Amino acid sequence: MTRIHMNYTIQQIASILQLPVKTLHSCIIRQLLTDSRRLTDPGSALFFALETRNNDAHRFVADLYQEGVRNFVVTKMLPEWSTFGDANFLQVKNSLAALQKIAAWHRSCFDLPVIGITGSNGKTIVKEWLYQLLEKDFNITRSPRSYNSQIGVPLSVWQLDEKSTLGIFEAGISQPDEMEQLEPIIRPTIGVLTKIGEAHQENFTSLQQKCTEKLELFVNSDVFIYDEDNDLVSRCVDLMVLSQKSFSWSRKNRDAPLYISSVEKSEEHTLIRYSFLNFDYSFQIPFTDEASIENAINCLAVALYLHVSPTELADRMKLLEPVAMRLELRKGKQECLIINDTYNSDINSIRIALDFQQQRRLERSLKKTIIISDILQSGLSPRSLYRRVAELAEQGGIQKLIGIGPEITANAELFALHEKMFFPSTDEFIRSGVWKTFHGELILIKGARKFHFEQISTLLEERIHETQLEVDLDAVVHNFNFYKSKLQPHTKMVCMVKANGYGAGATEIAKTLQYHRCDYLAVAVAEEGILLRNEGVTLPVMVLNPEVNGFEELFTHDLEPEVYNFRILEAYIKEAERRGITNYPIHLKIDSGMHRLGFLPEQIPALAERLAAQKGLKVLSVFSHLSASESWVFDEFTHQQMDSFRKAAYAIEEALQYTVWKHILNSAGMERFPAAEWDMARLGIGLYGISASGLQGLRNVGTLKTTILQIKEVPANETIGYGRKEKLTRNARIATIRFGYADGLDRQFGNRRGKVLINGQTAPIVGNVCMDLCMIDVTDVKASEGDVVILFGEGLSVIEQAESIGTIPYEILTSISPRVKRIYIKE
């Protein structure tokens, strides 16, 4: 069996890319780097300067050179690099293709079973469940989280090393011809196709086209596992001539290689009976939903193919754990923040979690703490493993480490931290009371399942209210990039985080945007900007509604005010002159037709004259606001606004004798009028997943959820709630949920105008909404006490909820009370 270590010389890398090697400085490459923010080991990193429509990573080369990186894959040479004499530049036609070629070469050096997983849904869960089922039999290298893209797959496969005995990698595609690039990188010996659905369908002409594209992953595999009852998949398998290598399963065909004879659901478990090689077996899983059943059957087929005995497999299936798909950021006790990554404690996931921890810290004085368990089934000797963990902790800036487990405790001396404590078990740590002393810390919790770190997170988290607003930070990033893709690369993006980030939490949204290189933030009042500065946000912040007497706050915290009338303009000029300040940045608001704030067109000559005659303020931008950009009905008026603004902006620029940024587009404007983007654009409601013009492609950011406290049988003709406003017309099951108008539920939702989602079914809100509670009719819904109730999110959009009471999504989002706990999640 051929083996090669992950360390390559730069000369070997150049040879793989068929480039000359004579002039290269010797260097060992351990890290393939595509994101300059994730640099951990400059001396061994090879940076790929990737180019996209909205970003050119060549601009980060100089900064990386200053940080110690000396090896780069580029598509062009820039003049400013001429002094980097000790750097290696590998110039290629396409940096992404080079990354993929290197990863494919690395994969070709390993003769071992590799499981390749693709599909629309369930890829990550199948991958993680296979890890749980097979970790006793193999040293497994697998994709970190959902690293399944054109960039993520090569970075995942690069983790294969001489200790690996099994690879498990997932592949995702969003457009035709992408799988052709991923197949040689993964080169699976075992293929698994999960459920095919509508996800990422927009770039495919049909589900059949998408399915056949996904099946390209398996053209060179030894075996291919799929559900033969799916007519679409079976048809595509025949088209791709893959049936001869199939190991299919079926609930209908008794002659299938794996026949599922029955599926019996109880309240908390599912018993699955099957026939394999003419013998009958069964296993039980601690899940009852259809998706989990299908995922478990796919895992069953893989394990049987790898010769795991049905008896042993049944024992392992009973212990399957829910997959922690995402990191969660929660508020902790004593001014701590908790990053909950329990059930994920493998070496590959540590760097991802540490990177997320660094994003959340910024400049705020939070001590970085990690609570980590023994790492199981790494394939490394304990000493080598924990030396690597110690290196990652040091590179991640960890200041305090709590190690739990016998192996990490035995290797305590490898950790050079001043503050470190070790405990043989989770119970010992809890009994020590050390957790009570945490104060002002950013605590990352990472533990293998057997250590039950959920007990620790429960002790550390601040329990305010069972009702939660779950904020998907990955969706925020997706929506941000979605709108960026509609702009020219030079156009700056201003993101609205006013009104506490439209209810989602301004601080965490701002930190996420800062990490992803947003250009500007905008808030409504100075206090919102001051909060961001106190939390370490350093991006430029525009204050849209500053106070006349608020210059001190603006100046002290480096905030940039919108100036919209002569009164505030004169006050700021006077204050700047009194302090001896010159060129303090401001943003001029022009009223082009909305008639809210701003200088009117007839005021522009006087405004231009006054600005030209002073030195205390400098106009960075001139902007206006479209009043109906989402509506086709008012397109003529929108163009009138643009024309009025254009005239005003150029008149001001001519008077000032210097260039100013110009911007008028809001979210809907970017969707419908990209030609008017000018120098900047302002992203508001679209960032949070809502398109005023009905544009498709955004992801839901916020999910508001609570629980059922009680269910009771109420007979017909009884009334529900305060004021006896609703009289039942039939015998009903009435549930009371933990959400009322003090939490942000408008009283207009009462008396069947509003609804909620329970277990995928809608239920109307009945009676008047109370302060802390409301009642729902679950007569026709499968519901139990303790069940989760969705007030808005996937399946019940905030747009739909707003329309039901005649309001707008903005009002629903910004009305969510501070006492509703915000939970931040990230894959």
Side-chain angles (χ1 to χ4, degrees):
M1 182 177 290
T2 306
R3 282 288 181 265
I4 189 166
H5 197 266
M6 272 175 52
N7 300 341
Y8 290 75
T9 66
I10 189 65
Q11 287 82 4
Q12 287 175 309
I13 295 290
S15 294
I16 293 169
L17 297 177
Q18 298 177 303
L19 297 173
V21 301
K22 290 183 180 179
T23 59
L24 297 174
H25 305 283
S26 295
C27 188
I28 298 295
I29 301 301
R30 297 187 185 89
Q31 181 187 12
L32 303 185
L33 184 67
T34 60
D35 187 335
S36 61
R37 300 159 298 189
R38 296 185 175 180
L39 178 65
T40 57
D41 186 3
S44 67
L46 175 62
F47 179 68
F48 292 79
L50 303 179
E51 295 177 277
T52 66
R53 186 179 185 277
N54 297 293
N55 187 43
D56 184 352
H58 290 81
R59 62 193 176 105
F60 305 124
V61 167
D63 290 340
L64 286 168
Y65 181 85
Q66 296 302 318
E67 294 184 57
V69 178
R70 292 296 180 268
N71 299 285
F72 304 91
V73 175
V74 299
T75 59
K76 56 193 173 188
M77 295 296 295
L78 302 184
E80 56 263 38
W81 303 342
S82 60
T83 58
F84 300 168
D86 57 342
N88 293 314
F89 289 98
L90 305 182
Q91 189 169 358
V92 297
K93 291 182 178 179
N94 185 306
S95 296
L96 176 59
L99 170 68
Q100 294 173 338
K101 188 172 185 178
I102 292 167
W105 173 273
H106 185 65
R107 166 66 184 94
S108 71
C109 297
F110 293 87
D111 180 15
L112 78 172
V114 170
I115 303 168
I117 306 168
T118 191
S120 301
N121 308 104
K123 296 186 293 294
T124 301
I125 292 175
V126 168
K127 179 195 69 185
E128 294 300 320
W129 279 0
L130 285 172
Y131 179 79
Q132 293 178 31
L133 294 169
L134 301 173
E135 62 179 336
K136 292 181 179 179
D137 307 305
F138 300 92
N139 289 320
I140 300 173
T141 297
R142 70 193 196 279
S143 307
R145 299 194 179 273
S146 55
Y147 271 39
N148 58 28
S149 66
Q150 296 290 304
I151 298 172
V153 168
L155 296 181
S156 299
V157 172
W158 179 254
Q159 301 303 313
L160 285 170
D161 63 19
E162 73 279 3
K163 299 292 185 182
S164 305
T165 59
L166 175 67
I168 310 178
F169 304 109
E170 56 177 292
I173 59 172
S174 58
Q175 56 189 24
D177 302 323
E178 286 187 333
M179 195 63 83
E180 184 180 351
Q181 312 305 317
L182 299 184
E183 189 279 331
I185 302 172
I186 298 177
R187 190 51 63 95
T189 59
I190 303 168
V192 180
L193 182 69
T194 64
K195 192 173 188 65
I196 296 292
E198 296 291 340
H200 304 297
Q201 182 61 37
E202 59 271 14
N203 294 320
F204 296 95
T205 58
S206 65
L207 277 175
Q208 179 169 310
Q209 184 197 23
K210 181 166 67 175
C211 185
T212 55
E213 289 283 345
K214 289 181 178 291
L215 290 176
E216 287 285 349
L217 181 61
F218 310 127
V219 293
N220 292 303
S221 63
D222 297 330
V223 68
F224 160 49
I225 292 162
Y226 71 100
D227 173 10
E228 71 170 51
D229 296 339
N230 186 306
D231 292 336
L232 169 67
V233 173
S234 293
R235 188 165 62 250
C236 292
V237 168
D238 290 339
L239 286 171
M240 296 289 290
V241 197
L242 291 175
S243 55
Q244 77 279 5
K245 61 176 68 177
S246 68
F247 177 18
S248 60
W249 57 269
S250 172
R251 301 190 197 191
K252 302 175 182 177
N253 179 14
R254 292 179 178 273
D255 296 324
L258 178 60
Y259 172 56
I260 308 303
S261 55
S262 70
V263 175
E264 303 169 15
K265 298 181 183 180
S266 61
E267 190 168 327
E268 296 181 352
H269 301 88
T270 301
L271 178 65
I272 301 173
R273 302 182 190 276
Y274 67 96
S275 297
F276 176 61
L277 299 178
N278 296 318
F279 289 93
D280 294 330
Y281 306 98
S282 67
F283 66 94
Q284 182 176 278
I285 58 172
F287 306 94
T288 60
D289 61 288
E290 283 299 320
S292 293
I293 292 168
E294 185 168 326
N295 291 335
I297 294 171
N298 279 319
C299 292
L300 168 71
V302 174
L304 291 173
Y305 181 79
L306 289 172
H307 307 297
V308 179
S309 75
T311 303
E312 178 66 23
L313 194 50
D315 290 338
R316 298 178 189 180
M317 285 284 192
K318 288 189 294 188
L319 302 176
L320 283 178
E321 296 275 0
V323 176
M325 297 284 286
R326 303 167 292 193
L327 293 161
E328 293 184 345
L329 182 67
R330 299 172 180 256
K331 189 174 182 181
K333 298 173 182 175
Q334 301 193 87
E335 299 182 38
C336 292
L337 285 176
I338 311 299
I339 300 175
N340 191 342
D341 197 22
T342 52
Y343 303 136
N344 276 306
S345 187
D346 61 278
I347 193 73
N348 288 334
S349 71
I350 290 175
R351 184 182 291 110
I352 297 171
L354 289 172
D355 178 61
F356 183 63
Q357 185 183 40
Q358 181 60 27
Q359 293 177 42
R360 304 346 283 168
R361 184 178 181 229
L362 296 177
E363 302 302 320
R364 186 179 170 192
S365 56
L366 289 176
K367 178 185 289 185
K368 292 180 69 176
T369 299
I370 185 171
I371 304 174
I372 187 170
S373 75
D374 284 353
I375 297 172
L376 309 179
Q377 297 295 322
S378 71
L380 300 173
S381 69
R383 197 156 188 84
S384 297
L385 171 63
Y386 292 106
R387 183 179 291 113
R388 182 64 185 131
V389 174
E391 291 172 358
L392 289 172
E394 182 180 356
Q395 292 166 357
I398 294 296
Q399 296 159 287
K400 179 196 287 187
L401 182 140
I402 310 290
I404 297 177
E407 285 197 356
I408 195 170
T409 299
N411 289 277
E413 79 280 359
L414 297 175
F415 295 88
L417 297 169
H418 177 67
E419 284 192 77
K420 58 182 180 179
M421 288 170 275
F422 296 87
F423 301 88
S425 68
T426 301
D427 288 341
E428 287 292 323
F429 168 72
I430 292 173
R431 280 197 292 271
S432 74
V434 167
W435 54 274
K436 298 178 183 178
T437 66
F438 294 151
H439 186 274
E441 300 179 40
L442 181 56
I443 305 169
L444 172 60
I445 303 175
K446 287 193 67 63
R449 297 186 302 280
K450 64 178 284 186
F451 287 90
H452 296 288
F453 271 17
E454 69 274 7
Q455 299 174 39
I456 298 174
S457 60
T458 298
L459 291 172
L460 298 180
E461 289 176 15
E462 183 178 73
R463 299 285 172 177
I464 304 173
H465 196 339
E466 200 168 311
T467 301
Q468 300 176 354
L469 176 64
E470 193 176 86
V471 181
D472 187 339
L473 296 177
D474 288 318
V476 172
V477 175
H478 168 86
N479 296 338
F480 171 72
N481 288 329
F482 181 85
Y483 282 96
K484 283 279 287 184
S485 71
K486 297 185 172 299
L487 304 175
Q488 294 299 316
H490 66 269
T491 304
K492 297 182 183 298
M493 182 75 86
V494 186
C495 285
M496 301 291 131
V497 292
K498 61 182 181 174
N500 193 28
Y502 289 46
T507 298
E508 294 306 324
I509 298 296
K511 288 179 179 179
T512 299
L513 292 169
Q514 177 162 295
Y515 183 76
H516 288 276
R517 298 192 174 98
C518 176
D519 300 293
Y520 254 85
L521 300 174
V523 296
V525 294
E527 287 81 359
E528 293 177 332
I530 292 169
L531 173 65
L532 297 182
R533 290 289 183 248
N534 291 341
E535 292 290 337
V537 175
T538 57
L539 281 176
V541 177
M542 192 183 301
V543 180
L544 300 176
N545 308 321
E547 297 181 358
V548 171
N549 299 317
F551 190 83
E552 172 66 31
E553 290 179 326
L554 298 170
F555 178 72
T556 302
H557 295 93
D558 193 23
L559 305 173
E560 302 175 11
E562 167 190 314
V563 173
Y564 49 83
N565 64 17
F566 284 107
R567 177 169 171 256
I568 200 168
L569 176 65
E570 292 297 341
Y572 286 0
I573 290 174
K574 181 178 180 181
E575 193 62 25
E577 290 175 348
R578 187 180 72 80
R579 294 167 180 263
I581 295 172
T582 58
N583 293 329
Y584 193 83
I586 65 169
H587 303 267
L588 290 180
K589 179 70 171 288
I590 305 300
D591 182 356
S592 61
M594 187 167 175
H595 302 318
R596 189 169 62 179
L597 296 177
F599 293 94
L600 291 165
E602 56 266 28
Q603 295 176 305
I604 299 305
L607 172 63
E609 183 180 355
R610 182 67 184 99
L611 288 168
Q614 58 82 48
K615 296 181 179 180
L617 307 179
K618 180 174 182 178
V619 179
L620 284 190
S621 81
V622 178
F623 72 104
S624 189
H625 198 77
L626 298 174
S627 58
S629 55
E630 73 283 357
S631 175
W632 283 258
V633 175
F634 297 111
D635 279 0
E636 184 178 351
F637 181 77
T638 297
H639 285 292
Q640 290 175 11
Q641 279 194 272
M642 292 176 183
D643 186 57
S644 175
F645 168 69
R646 182 184 297 105
K647 293 174 182 176
Y650 284 116
I652 291 169
E653 193 171 58
E654 184 178 357
L656 293 175
Q657 294 296 296
Y658 60 80
T659 301
V660 299
W661 297 325
K662 293 165 279 293
H663 50 110
I664 194 170
L665 296 185
N666 52 11
S667 298
M670 280 185 269
E671 296 168 13
R672 302 195 56 238
F673 302 100
E677 67 184 59
W678 275 300
D679 306 297
M680 303 178 86
R682 303 185 304 277
L683 181 57
I685 196 73
L687 181 66
Y688 303 94
I690 297 166
S691 168
S693 72
L695 184 70
Q696 299 299 307
L698 299 179
R699 283 175 53 183
N700 178 68
V701 168
T703 300
L704 183 60
K705 57 177 64 174
T706 188
T707 54
I708 295 176
L709 295 176
Q710 185 179 24
I711 297 178
K712 56 182 64 174
E713 304 289 338
V714 182
N717 299 317
E718 289 290 314
T719 57
I720 306 297
Y722 283 124
R724 306 193 70 191
K725 294 292 186 182
E726 176 158 348
K727 185 177 182 179
L728 295 176
T729 59
R730 62 172 179 170
N731 295 338
R733 294 177 74 229
I734 302 299
T736 300
I737 65 173
R738 194 193 300 270
F739 204 78
Y741 56 76
D743 300 295
L745 185 64
D746 196 302
R747 293 186 76 245
Q748 292 187 69
F749 280 115
N751 301 303
R752 299 185 185 267
R753 290 191 67 187
K755 59 189 174 185
V756 298
L757 193 67
I758 306 172
N759 297 322
Q761 296 178 280
T762 58
I765 298 172
V766 295
N768 281 337
V769 173
C770 309
M771 180 180 290
D772 311 299
L773 308 165
C774 70
M775 287 70 72
I776 56 178
D777 186 343
V778 295
T779 308
D780 302 317
V781 174
K782 182 182 177 182
S784 304
E785 292 179 358
D787 279 359
V788 172
V789 178
I790 306 295
L791 291 114
F792 64 72
E794 291 290 347
L796 183 59
S797 73
V798 68
I799 296 175
E800 185 178 355
Q801 290 288 56
E803 288 175 347
S804 70
I805 62 169
T807 187
I808 55 176
Y810 299 79
E811 184 176 359
I812 303 293
L813 293 175
T814 59
S815 296
I816 301 170
S817 166
R819 79 177 186 182
V820 173
K821 190 175 185 179
R822 270 72 171 174
I823 305 295
Y824 299 93
I825 58 174
K826 183 185 186 302
E827 284 192 356

